[in-house]
Amino acid sequence: MADEVFSQPWLDQWAGLINADASLPERAPEGMWRIYMRAEGDGISPYVPSGEVMHLMIHIEDGRCTRLEHADAPPGPRDLDFRFSGPASVFEEVAAGLRDPVEAGLQGHIKIAGDMAFLLRHAELTQEIVDLFMSK
């Protein structure tokens, strides 16, 4: 496992796992998915201090991860396709396999904004990317 959760080596490892899947480009929709994750320090997370916010940008283009890094601020709504936000500890529990990401979304622990029809059409592919997040 690469360093601590959300560190750049950890993010690089996640991007590497996405890009190592040779069949992903064949199954992924053409074009780019621009995904923003906002993890809010909740006093539970050891990685995001209470009161602070961590911003991550993820770009998946034609089934390849072309960007997975920290951002200084949230992007504008026209600069992204999906937004996932919630307490850092919830994202960490998902990454550790202790919490189901779909359940976290349905229960409102992780808020999801974006083209929900697109996510549903590509639910299997989306789940694979989430599973890679959890496999580290």
Side-chain angles (χ1 to χ4, degrees):
M1 182 176 200
D3 296 336
E4 64 183 42
V5 175
F6 303 129
S7 67
Q8 193 58 53
W10 189 89
L11 297 174
D12 292 343
Q13 183 181 17
W14 184 20
L17 289 170
I18 293 169
N19 291 335
D21 185 335
S23 69
L24 198 61
E26 299 168 5
R27 298 178 293 121
E30 290 184 9
M32 183 183 300
W33 307 0
R34 297 164 304 171
I35 305 160
Y36 166 65
M37 277 179 56
R38 175 188 170 96
E40 301 153 1
D42 54 2
I44 300 170
S45 168
Y47 306 109
V48 182
S50 183
E52 291 188 20
V53 175
M54 183 196 57
H55 309 277
L56 293 178
M57 282 302 304
I58 306 163
H59 289 183
I60 307 285
E61 187 168 1
D62 298 328
R64 290 283 170 238
C65 183
T66 59
R67 179 180 179 194
L68 181 46
E69 61 191 13
H70 292 271
D72 293 331
R78 294 181 187 197
D79 295 327
L80 59 93
D81 298 297
F82 299 99
R83 177 184 308 261
F84 296 86
S85 59
S89 62
V90 173
F91 285 111
E92 292 159 16
E93 289 173 358
V94 169
L98 301 174
R99 184 183 290 240
D100 180 79
V102 174
E103 191 175 294
L106 291 174
Q107 293 175 345
H109 298 290
I110 295 176
K111 294 176 179 61
I112 304 167
D115 185 349
M116 298 308 286
F118 178 89
L119 280 180
L120 291 174
R121 276 193 315 273
H122 301 286
E124 182 179 318
L125 192 60
T126 303
Q127 185 63 49
E128 284 183 45
I129 291 170
V130 170
D131 288 347
L132 291 171
F133 176 75
M134 295 167 47
S135 71
K136 300 184 332 9

